[in-house]
Amino acid sequence: MSKVKYYYDSESLSYKKIERKKGTTFTYAFVFTLAAALFGFIFVFLASQFVESPKERALKRELQNAQLQFELLNKKMEKTELVLANIANRDNNIYRVYFEANPIPEEQRTAGFGGVNRYQSLEGFDNSKLIIESNKRLDIIQKQLVVQSKSLDEIAKLAEDKEKLLAAIPAIQPVSNQDLTRMASGYGFRSDPFTKVRKMHWGMDFTAPKGSPIYASGDGIVERADNTASGYGNHIRIDHGYGYVSLYAHLFKYNVRKNQKVKRGDIIGFVGSTGRSEAPHLHYEIFKDGERIDPINFYYGSLTAEEFNEMLEHASLENQSLD
């Protein structure tokens, strides 16, 4: 119950009750409410500036974790860039050099992306710079991976082709040293056994007993196995690809047929003395792009250095050929 207040009226010489006007009461109530609201606003504002809410603390932790993840991602990208740089260096200076391929320019490997702003959607945030730079690095790394992947595909194809080439080149002696009586005559001018006239001998003669096996000197396809070529008698021609063809003449009999695929070291026939031949032997020739070349340069696959030097010495003698 509120206290009743009085005042002394000098005219009536008596005490009268103080009556509060309704407008005054409303004013007091309004002022009090306004003051309370203002105080509450100030309190909330100060609290928001200096006191974190649970939600704000959670968001702050998430932001710190995201920044940490970006830092870890950047470190991983640095390691990836180092690995890619090492692979690119070996690719240009070892693999592509070995397979005689042109190196890939550095500008092509590390080029960015021109034209439209690819990162416009990432602008306007507190950490936009960090996010955009990370995305740029990732895009460049992805492009480097694509370039390197294509390069390695090309190297793999070149390696496969080189492997096929190495297997195809006539690289072994067509008659085994165990069966070889002697290397009778080499490539060059020799005395004809029938006319005694000095003329060009286009291959090498290997003297061996009749029936000694003859080996394919490289992978290929039998192009001919017949006796229709003048002077060669029973002979075989193998197309090795890459412009190489080998010829084996004066055979006793065949061990292959036309269009048959053969591997280096396969027995394709046997030594004989058919055609224009003076004694059992194998006449061996090599063609490169249709031109006859000296077969002695192709024996790295079957002879030791000493055996090759001995063969070279005998082949260089201008003696009489056997065909």
PDB file of all heavy atoms in Angstrom, residues 136-154:
ATOM      1  N   LYS A 136      44.058 -21.350 -57.132  1.00  0.00           N
ATOM      2  CA  LYS A 136      44.937 -21.145 -58.285  1.00  0.00           C
ATOM      3  C   LYS A 136      46.042 -22.183 -58.308  1.00  0.00           C
ATOM      4  O   LYS A 136      46.355 -22.771 -59.350  1.00  0.00           O
ATOM      5  CB  LYS A 136      45.541 -19.743 -58.242  1.00  0.00           C
ATOM      6  CG  LYS A 136      44.603 -18.639 -58.684  1.00  0.00           C
ATOM      7  CD  LYS A 136      45.308 -17.286 -58.670  1.00  0.00           C
ATOM      8  CE  LYS A 136      44.393 -16.165 -59.137  1.00  0.00           C
ATOM      9  NZ  LYS A 136      45.070 -14.849 -59.084  1.00  0.00           N
ATOM     10  N   ARG A 137      46.670 -22.420 -57.150  1.00  0.00           N
ATOM     11  CA  ARG A 137      47.762 -23.402 -57.087  1.00  0.00           C
ATOM     12  C   ARG A 137      47.265 -24.798 -57.432  1.00  0.00           C
ATOM     13  O   ARG A 137      47.927 -25.553 -58.147  1.00  0.00           O
ATOM     14  CB  ARG A 137      48.399 -23.396 -55.702  1.00  0.00           C
ATOM     15  CG  ARG A 137      49.186 -22.138 -55.396  1.00  0.00           C
ATOM     16  CD  ARG A 137      49.778 -22.166 -54.019  1.00  0.00           C
ATOM     17  NE  ARG A 137      50.884 -23.119 -53.924  1.00  0.00           N
ATOM     18  CZ  ARG A 137      51.551 -23.336 -52.799  1.00  0.00           C
ATOM     19  NH1 ARG A 137      51.218 -22.700 -51.683  1.00  0.00           N
ATOM     20  NH2 ARG A 137      52.542 -24.204 -52.774  1.00  0.00           N
ATOM     21  N   LEU A 138      46.069 -25.130 -56.922  1.00  0.00           N
ATOM     22  CA  LEU A 138      45.503 -26.450 -57.224  1.00  0.00           C
ATOM     23  C   LEU A 138      45.222 -26.607 -58.715  1.00  0.00           C
ATOM     24  O   LEU A 138      45.493 -27.657 -59.302  1.00  0.00           O
ATOM     25  CB  LEU A 138      44.209 -26.659 -56.435  1.00  0.00           C
ATOM     26  CG  LEU A 138      44.351 -27.194 -55.009  1.00  0.00           C
ATOM     27  CD1 LEU A 138      43.004 -27.192 -54.314  1.00  0.00           C
ATOM     28  CD2 LEU A 138      44.946 -28.598 -55.006  1.00  0.00           C
ATOM     29  N   ASP A 139      44.704 -25.553 -59.343  1.00  0.00           N
ATOM     30  CA  ASP A 139      44.406 -25.612 -60.779  1.00  0.00           C
ATOM     31  C   ASP A 139      45.684 -25.793 -61.597  1.00  0.00           C
ATOM     32  O   ASP A 139      45.719 -26.567 -62.561  1.00  0.00           O
ATOM     33  CB  ASP A 139      43.672 -24.346 -61.223  1.00  0.00           C
ATOM     34  CG  ASP A 139      42.224 -24.324 -60.767  1.00  0.00           C
ATOM     35  OD1 ASP A 139      41.707 -25.402 -60.415  1.00  0.00           O
ATOM     36  OD2 ASP A 139      41.620 -23.237 -60.750  1.00  0.00           O
ATOM     37  N   ILE A 140      46.752 -25.082 -61.207  1.00  0.00           N
ATOM     38  CA  ILE A 140      48.021 -25.203 -61.936  1.00  0.00           C
ATOM     39  C   ILE A 140      48.611 -26.598 -61.748  1.00  0.00           C
ATOM     40  O   ILE A 140      49.125 -27.207 -62.698  1.00  0.00           O
ATOM     41  CB  ILE A 140      49.008 -24.109 -61.471  1.00  0.00           C
ATOM     42  CG1 ILE A 140      48.519 -22.734 -61.912  1.00  0.00           C
ATOM     43  CG2 ILE A 140      50.407 -24.362 -62.030  1.00  0.00           C
ATOM     44  CD1 ILE A 140      49.332 -21.568 -61.384  1.00  0.00           C
ATOM     45  N   ILE A 141      48.525 -27.136 -60.523  1.00  0.00           N
ATOM     46  CA  ILE A 141      49.023 -28.490 -60.256  1.00  0.00           C
ATOM     47  C   ILE A 141      48.248 -29.501 -61.104  1.00  0.00           C
ATOM     48  O   ILE A 141      48.835 -30.416 -61.695  1.00  0.00           O
ATOM     49  CB  ILE A 141      48.911 -28.825 -58.758  1.00  0.00           C
ATOM     50  CG1 ILE A 141      49.968 -28.041 -57.959  1.00  0.00           C
ATOM     51  CG2 ILE A 141      49.087 -30.326 -58.517  1.00  0.00           C
ATOM     52  CD1 ILE A 141      49.829 -28.176 -56.460  1.00  0.00           C
ATOM     53  N   GLN A 142      46.921 -29.333 -61.174  1.00  0.00           N
ATOM     54  CA  GLN A 142      46.109 -30.248 -61.995  1.00  0.00           C
ATOM     55  C   GLN A 142      46.519 -30.165 -63.463  1.00  0.00           C
ATOM     56  O   GLN A 142      46.609 -31.193 -64.144  1.00  0.00           O
ATOM     57  CB  GLN A 142      44.626 -29.902 -61.836  1.00  0.00           C
ATOM     58  CG  GLN A 142      44.039 -30.311 -60.490  1.00  0.00           C
ATOM     59  CD  GLN A 142      42.592 -29.887 -60.324  1.00  0.00           C
ATOM     60  OE1 GLN A 142      42.120 -29.000 -61.025  1.00  0.00           O
ATOM     61  NE2 GLN A 142      41.882 -30.500 -59.401  1.00  0.00           N
ATOM     62  N   LYS A 143      46.787 -28.962 -63.949  1.00  0.00           N
ATOM     63  CA  LYS A 143      47.206 -28.810 -65.339  1.00  0.00           C
ATOM     64  C   LYS A 143      48.575 -29.458 -65.556  1.00  0.00           C
ATOM     65  O   LYS A 143      48.805 -30.125 -66.572  1.00  0.00           O
ATOM     66  CB  LYS A 143      47.267 -27.336 -65.718  1.00  0.00           C
ATOM     67  CG  LYS A 143      47.624 -27.118 -67.185  1.00  0.00           C
ATOM     68  CD  LYS A 143      47.529 -25.672 -67.592  1.00  0.00           C
ATOM     69  CE  LYS A 143      47.857 -25.512 -69.073  1.00  0.00           C
ATOM     70  NZ  LYS A 143      47.783 -24.114 -69.520  1.00  0.00           N
ATOM     71  N   GLN A 144      49.490 -29.278 -64.591  1.00  0.00           N
ATOM     72  CA  GLN A 144      50.808 -29.913 -64.698  1.00  0.00           C
ATOM     73  C   GLN A 144      50.679 -31.427 -64.732  1.00  0.00           C
ATOM     74  O   GLN A 144      51.402 -32.103 -65.479  1.00  0.00           O
ATOM     75  CB  GLN A 144      51.687 -29.490 -63.517  1.00  0.00           C
ATOM     76  CG  GLN A 144      52.160 -28.053 -63.589  1.00  0.00           C
ATOM     77  CD  GLN A 144      52.967 -27.664 -62.363  1.00  0.00           C
ATOM     78  OE1 GLN A 144      52.597 -27.982 -61.237  1.00  0.00           O
ATOM     79  NE2 GLN A 144      54.063 -26.981 -62.571  1.00  0.00           N
ATOM     80  N   LEU A 145      49.761 -31.960 -63.926  1.00  0.00           N
ATOM     81  CA  LEU A 145      49.546 -33.408 -63.916  1.00  0.00           C
ATOM     82  C   LEU A 145      49.034 -33.895 -65.268  1.00  0.00           C
ATOM     83  O   LEU A 145      49.452 -34.948 -65.754  1.00  0.00           O
ATOM     84  CB  LEU A 145      48.550 -33.787 -62.813  1.00  0.00           C
ATOM     85  CG  LEU A 145      49.080 -33.769 -61.375  1.00  0.00           C
ATOM     86  CD1 LEU A 145      47.944 -33.920 -60.386  1.00  0.00           C
ATOM     87  CD2 LEU A 145      50.112 -34.868 -61.175  1.00  0.00           C
ATOM     88  N   VAL A 146      48.132 -33.121 -65.887  1.00  0.00           N
ATOM     89  CA  VAL A 146      47.614 -33.504 -67.203  1.00  0.00           C
ATOM     90  C   VAL A 146      48.736 -33.495 -68.238  1.00  0.00           C
ATOM     91  O   VAL A 146      48.885 -34.437 -69.031  1.00  0.00           O
ATOM     92  CB  VAL A 146      46.477 -32.544 -67.623  1.00  0.00           C
ATOM     93  CG1 VAL A 146      46.089 -32.781 -69.084  1.00  0.00           C
ATOM     94  CG2 VAL A 146      45.255 -32.749 -66.740  1.00  0.00           C
ATOM     95  N   VAL A 147      49.551 -32.409 -68.228  1.00  0.00           N
ATOM     96  CA  VAL A 147      50.666 -32.302 -69.181  1.00  0.00           C
ATOM     97  C   VAL A 147      51.649 -33.453 -68.983  1.00  0.00           C
ATOM     98  O   VAL A 147      52.089 -34.096 -69.936  1.00  0.00           O
ATOM     99  CB  VAL A 147      51.387 -30.948 -69.016  1.00  0.00           C
ATOM    100  CG1 VAL A 147      52.656 -30.904 -69.848  1.00  0.00           C
ATOM    101  CG2 VAL A 147      50.466 -29.809 -69.427  1.00  0.00           C
ATOM    102  N   GLN A 148      51.991 -33.738 -67.700  1.00  0.00           N
ATOM    103  CA  GLN A 148      52.954 -34.794 -67.412  1.00  0.00           C
ATOM    104  C   GLN A 148      52.397 -36.162 -67.772  1.00  0.00           C
ATOM    105  O   GLN A 148      53.116 -37.036 -68.273  1.00  0.00           O
ATOM    106  CB  GLN A 148      53.349 -34.754 -65.932  1.00  0.00           C
ATOM    107  CG  GLN A 148      54.489 -35.688 -65.574  1.00  0.00           C
ATOM    108  CD  GLN A 148      55.738 -35.362 -66.352  1.00  0.00           C
ATOM    109  OE1 GLN A 148      56.294 -34.274 -66.231  1.00  0.00           O
ATOM    110  NE2 GLN A 148      56.211 -36.291 -67.165  1.00  0.00           N
ATOM    111  N   SER A 149      51.098 -36.362 -67.515  1.00  0.00           N
ATOM    112  CA  SER A 149      50.479 -37.642 -67.851  1.00  0.00           C
ATOM    113  C   SER A 149      50.537 -37.894 -69.352  1.00  0.00           C
ATOM    114  O   SER A 149      50.878 -39.005 -69.796  1.00  0.00           O
ATOM    115  CB  SER A 149      49.029 -37.650 -67.366  1.00  0.00           C
ATOM    116  OG  SER A 149      48.374 -38.835 -67.745  1.00  0.00           O
ATOM    117  N   LYS A 150      50.226 -36.871 -70.153  1.00  0.00           N
ATOM    118  CA  LYS A 150      50.292 -37.013 -71.611  1.00  0.00           C
ATOM    119  C   LYS A 150      51.726 -37.281 -72.057  1.00  0.00           C
ATOM    120  O   LYS A 150      51.969 -38.085 -72.966  1.00  0.00           O
ATOM    121  CB  LYS A 150      49.744 -35.761 -72.283  1.00  0.00           C
ATOM    122  CG  LYS A 150      48.243 -35.591 -72.135  1.00  0.00           C
ATOM    123  CD  LYS A 150      47.747 -34.346 -72.861  1.00  0.00           C
ATOM    124  CE  LYS A 150      46.236 -34.209 -72.749  1.00  0.00           C
ATOM    125  NZ  LYS A 150      45.739 -32.974 -73.408  1.00  0.00           N
ATOM    126  N   SER A 151      52.676 -36.609 -71.402  1.00  0.00           N
ATOM    127  CA  SER A 151      54.082 -36.805 -71.760  1.00  0.00           C
ATOM    128  C   SER A 151      54.518 -38.245 -71.469  1.00  0.00           C
ATOM    129  O   SER A 151      55.198 -38.874 -72.279  1.00  0.00           O
ATOM    130  CB  SER A 151      54.971 -35.832 -70.977  1.00  0.00           C
ATOM    131  OG  SER A 151      56.339 -36.078 -71.229  1.00  0.00           O
ATOM    132  N   LEU A 152      54.113 -38.773 -70.307  1.00  0.00           N
ATOM    133  CA  LEU A 152      54.491 -40.143 -69.952  1.00  0.00           C
ATOM    134  C   LEU A 152      53.811 -41.154 -70.874  1.00  0.00           C
ATOM    135  O   LEU A 152      54.395 -42.197 -71.186  1.00  0.00           O
ATOM    136  CB  LEU A 152      54.131 -40.424 -68.489  1.00  0.00           C
ATOM    137  CG  LEU A 152      54.973 -39.667 -67.458  1.00  0.00           C
ATOM    138  CD1 LEU A 152      54.480 -39.941 -66.046  1.00  0.00           C
ATOM    139  CD2 LEU A 152      56.449 -40.043 -67.574  1.00  0.00           C
ATOM    140  N   ASP A 153      52.580 -40.848 -71.310  1.00  0.00           N
ATOM    141  CA  ASP A 153      51.923 -41.717 -72.298  1.00  0.00           C
ATOM    142  C   ASP A 153      52.745 -41.747 -73.592  1.00  0.00           C
ATOM    143  O   ASP A 153      52.915 -42.805 -74.214  1.00  0.00           O
ATOM    144  CB  ASP A 153      50.507 -41.217 -72.602  1.00  0.00           C
ATOM    145  CG  ASP A 153      49.550 -41.468 -71.452  1.00  0.00           C
ATOM    146  OD1 ASP A 153      49.880 -42.303 -70.588  1.00  0.00           O
ATOM    147  OD2 ASP A 153      48.487 -40.826 -71.413  1.00  0.00           O
ATOM    148  N   GLU A 154      53.244 -40.571 -73.988  1.00  0.00           N
ATOM    149  CA  GLU A 154      54.067 -40.484 -75.202  1.00  0.00           C
ATOM    150  C   GLU A 154      55.370 -41.254 -75.018  1.00  0.00           C
ATOM    151  O   GLU A 154      55.806 -41.991 -75.917  1.00  0.00           O
ATOM    152  CB  GLU A 154      54.371 -39.015 -75.515  1.00  0.00           C
ATOM    153  CG  GLU A 154      55.195 -38.826 -76.779  1.00  0.00           C
ATOM    154  CD  GLU A 154      55.578 -37.373 -77.014  1.00  0.00           C
ATOM    155  OE1 GLU A 154      55.139 -36.502 -76.240  1.00  0.00           O
ATOM    156  OE2 GLU A 154      56.337 -37.110 -77.972  1.00  0.00           O
TER     157      GLU A 154
END
